[in-house]
Amino acid sequence: MEITGIFSGLIVGIVIGALGRLVIPGRQRIPIWLTIVIGVVAALIGTAIATVLGVADTSGVDWIELGIQVALAALGVSLTAGTYGKRRT
């Protein structure tokens, strides 16, 4: 893997994680690094799901793939905030 691939993955993780965090109402008490990790994992799993469904490569913006990734990130942030918040308070 090249260094540009690592940076691209981090940027996508930041964006997907932030979008996933934004769609959940209320305050999530998890660190930003954990949000980025969740975003990277959600992007990878979301791409795999979109590929299986046959919607990963379309002409133009892959809105369905992006929606799957954001939904997975929101689910991950929600689950993590619920478990992380209970241990930290």
Side-chain angles (χ1 to χ4, degrees), residues 5-77:
I6 293 171
F7 284 130
S8 298
L10 288 175
I11 298 297
V12 167
I14 291 169
V15 171
I16 297 295
L19 289 173
R21 196 171 179 151
L22 284 174
V23 297
I24 299 173
R27 181 180 168 121
Q28 297 83 35
R29 298 185 185 274
I30 60 173
I32 192 67
W33 66 265
L34 192 53
T35 302
I36 294 170
V37 170
I38 292 168
V40 169
V41 171
L44 292 172
I45 294 172
T47 300
I49 291 172
T51 301
V52 169
L53 295 175
V55 295
D57 291 323
T58 60
S59 60
V61 179
D62 298 327
W63 292 109
I64 297 172
E65 180 180 3
L66 182 62
I68 292 170
Q69 291 171 339
V70 171
L72 287 174
L75 178 67
V77 167

